[in-house]
Amino acid sequence: MINLINILVFLSSFLILITFLVYFHELGHYLIARLFKVSVEKFSIGFGKPLHQWKTKNGTIWSLGRIPLGGYVKFSEIDNEKNIINSCITNGNKYFNTIPVFQRILVVLAGPLFNFILAIFIFASLSFTLGTYRVDSIVGEVIDGSPADKAGFLIGDRILTMNNKDVSDFNDLRRYIALRSGSNIITKIERNESNFELIIKPERKFEKDLIGGVSSSGKIGIGLSDPIAITKLEYNFFEAIVYGYKELISSISMTGYYIGRVMKGEEDGKELGSIIKIATVSGKVAVDAVNGNTTIPDQLKELSLRLLTIGASLSVALGVANLMPIPMLDGGHLVYYGYEAIVGRPLSQKKQEIGFQLGLAILFTLFVVLTLNDISYVSSIFS
């Protein structure tokens, strides 16, 4: 019975999470399109034969597909070359490809932007209700032979900046180091009321993460002071919004920086994953939450907090991924519309089709690579 409950929690948490993120993304496209009075033929969550669908007064068909791993919004368009009208436009509505190019750009941008807005809202809500914790970056242990030992770190050193970035909060320090294995970092420390600069090169280490999967990141080989210097930070409504925005920018920056390192061959890209890894992480986190040795209300609270935290990160990742300049993704459409805005005419249908075929090949390759990463990660949990 317990195993059956765990399976249900595992699957339902993943499906609820991914469905909500996709819905919010597509809702962005839909709302901005309707703002410009574009006729929307269909709003679908999931693919395949509909489990349920209904038609609203404005003519849009809302649908729930059998395969709940994505979604789309279908706009009414005119075939520009064959001059064929695909659907009837009434009540002053417009075809998508007849509205000004800047409006089409805004409609496409709306999906990723809504994901970013959702992430800000989650980060802000968590900080407003729970607060956050600042941990001072004070060295309490230096592991023999580690990068910190080789660089000359001593117990009691207070780490201030790395490459002029403030890392006096250990949370920021950890995230900064994680993506810079093999890179020299100019580090400013405070020791005995004097400031020094040391150069440290983080090493890539493999270790188990919170759910038991093996992942790699940069490490310098230090431990925190004992007792750990912790300060709880509380936020009013506006401060929480600012905090949420800063967390969004930090997440986007880290994602972009990691992808850049992968492209330069400085990372192996193994930390990138797709739907299997998302399902594993969200499902395992949910199962661990409900199996905690606490009351049911506390378990539900812990479950909600964990899924919200994962949801914020995934929402950022979904927004960034869709902005990649690959045809078939939002970023690819933006490239086409950008060309049209500059040149004054759209790219020819033939060239667009070639681009979509190329985009499909790229996406298929990425799918294979990321699936292999997922399999490697999931297998490490049970190794």
Side-chain angles (χ1 to χ4, degrees):
M1 182 65 180
I2 294 178
N3 288 335
L4 178 59
I5 293 176
N6 286 343
I7 292 173
L8 291 175
V9 170
F10 187 102
L11 293 176
S12 61
S13 61
F14 162 68
L15 291 176
I16 291 172
L17 187 63
I18 199 69
T19 298
F20 179 69
L21 294 179
V22 170
Y23 168 79
F24 211 78
H25 177 95
E26 299 301 334
L27 185 64
H29 293 312
Y30 174 82
L31 291 178
I32 302 304
R34 293 301 300 149
L35 178 66
F36 297 134
K37 297 190 179 300
V38 172
S39 174
V40 180
E41 293 184 13
K42 192 170 186 178
F43 187 120
S44 178
I45 298 299
F47 299 100
K49 188 176 180 180
L51 290 172
H52 179 62
Q53 64 181 20
W54 63 98
K55 191 172 185 178
T56 58
K57 291 182 179 180
N58 62 18
T60 302
I61 297 174
W62 292 71
S63 175
L64 296 175
R66 291 181 181 273
I67 306 174
L69 299 178
Y72 63 91
V73 174
K74 183 180 179 182
F75 305 116
S76 297
E77 293 186 330
I78 295 178
D79 190 315
N80 289 321
E81 295 190 356
K82 297 181 180 180
N83 197 32
I84 297 175
I85 298 179
N86 296 325
S87 65
C88 181
I89 301 294
T90 58
N91 298 326
N93 289 330
K94 306 171 185 177
Y95 293 104
F96 178 70
N97 53 348
T98 63
I99 63 175
V101 64
F102 81 91
Q103 292 184 356
R104 279 175 274 152
I105 289 174
L106 291 177
V107 171
V108 173
L109 272 176
L113 287 179
F114 265 53
N115 282 127
F116 296 151
I117 292 171
L118 176 61
I120 291 175
F121 175 77
I122 295 175
F123 287 135
S125 297
L126 292 175
S127 64
F128 180 73
T129 56
L130 302 176
T132 62
Y133 291 88
R134 173 189 168 85
V135 180
D136 290 343
S137 300
I138 301 175
V139 179
E141 177 188 12
V142 179
I143 299 175
D144 291 340
S146 67
D149 185 30
K150 296 174 183 177
F153 281 77
L154 299 177
I155 294 175
D157 287 346
R158 181 185 292 270
I159 303 175
L160 304 176
T161 64
M162 285 189 161
N163 291 338
N164 294 319
K165 177 178 175 58
D166 183 3
V167 291
S168 57
D169 184 342
F170 185 74
N171 298 303
D172 297 329
L173 172 68
R174 176 179 51 81
R175 289 190 287 189
Y176 191 84
I177 292 171
L179 298 181
R180 287 167 174 79
S181 58
S183 300
N184 287 324
I185 301 175
I186 300 174
T187 306
K188 181 180 289 187
I189 64 169
E190 180 185 299
R191 179 186 299 167
N192 297 327
E193 298 183 355
S194 298
N195 290 345
F196 297 87
E197 281 192 352
L198 302 175
I199 297 178
I200 191 168
K201 181 186 289 186
E203 294 177 343
R204 182 177 300 170
K205 296 289 185 179
F206 292 85
E207 60 183 10
K208 293 278 189 178
D209 58 25
L210 291 176
I211 70 167
V214 174
S215 58
S216 66
S217 62
K219 301 288 182 182
I220 61 174
I222 65 170
L224 291 170
S225 61
D226 187 18
I228 300 174
I230 299 179
T231 304
K232 183 174 182 180
L233 305 177
E234 296 183 347
Y235 304 84
N236 61 35
F237 176 79
F238 296 104
E239 290 171 340
I241 296 297
V242 173
Y243 172 83
Y245 174 76
K246 289 181 177 179
E247 283 295 296
L248 169 68
I249 298 302
S250 176
S251 297
I252 294 175
S253 176
M254 289 176 63
T255 302
Y257 186 78
Y258 180 77
I259 292 174
R261 282 177 61 89
V262 172
M263 295 179 67
K264 290 187 291 185
E266 297 174 344
E267 296 281 352
D268 56 16
K270 294 291 185 181
E271 301 308 305
L272 297 174
S274 64
I275 203 71
I276 298 175
K277 185 173 183 179
I278 294 173
T280 302
V281 172
S282 59
K284 183 67 164 55
V285 163
V287 169
D288 289 345
V290 299
N291 286 332
N293 190 23
T294 57
T295 63
I296 292 179
D298 286 339
Q299 291 176 359
L300 293 176
K301 179 181 177 181
E302 184 67 19
L303 173 62
S304 301
L305 292 177
R306 293 187 182 192
L307 290 182
L308 282 172
T309 302
I310 294 175
S313 298
L314 287 179
S315 193
V316 175
L318 183 60
V320 171
N322 270 279
L323 286 175
M324 295 176 65
I326 300 175
M328 298 187 69
L329 297 180
D330 293 335
H333 289 289
L334 290 174
V335 171
Y336 287 163
Y337 297 146
Y339 172 88
E340 182 178 346
I342 295 172
V343 177
R345 65 178 184 277
L347 199 63
S348 69
Q349 190 67 28
K350 184 176 180 180
K351 290 181 179 179
Q352 288 190 42
E353 289 175 357
I354 293 174
F356 283 125
Q357 291 172 359
L358 178 61
L360 182 61
I362 293 173
L363 289 178
F364 179 77
T365 302
L366 283 174
F367 174 77
V368 172
V369 171
L370 295 182
T371 299
L372 292 175
N373 285 353
D374 291 350
I375 294 172
S376 175
Y377 176 79
V378 173
S379 62
S380 71
I381 296 177
F382 303 100
S383 63

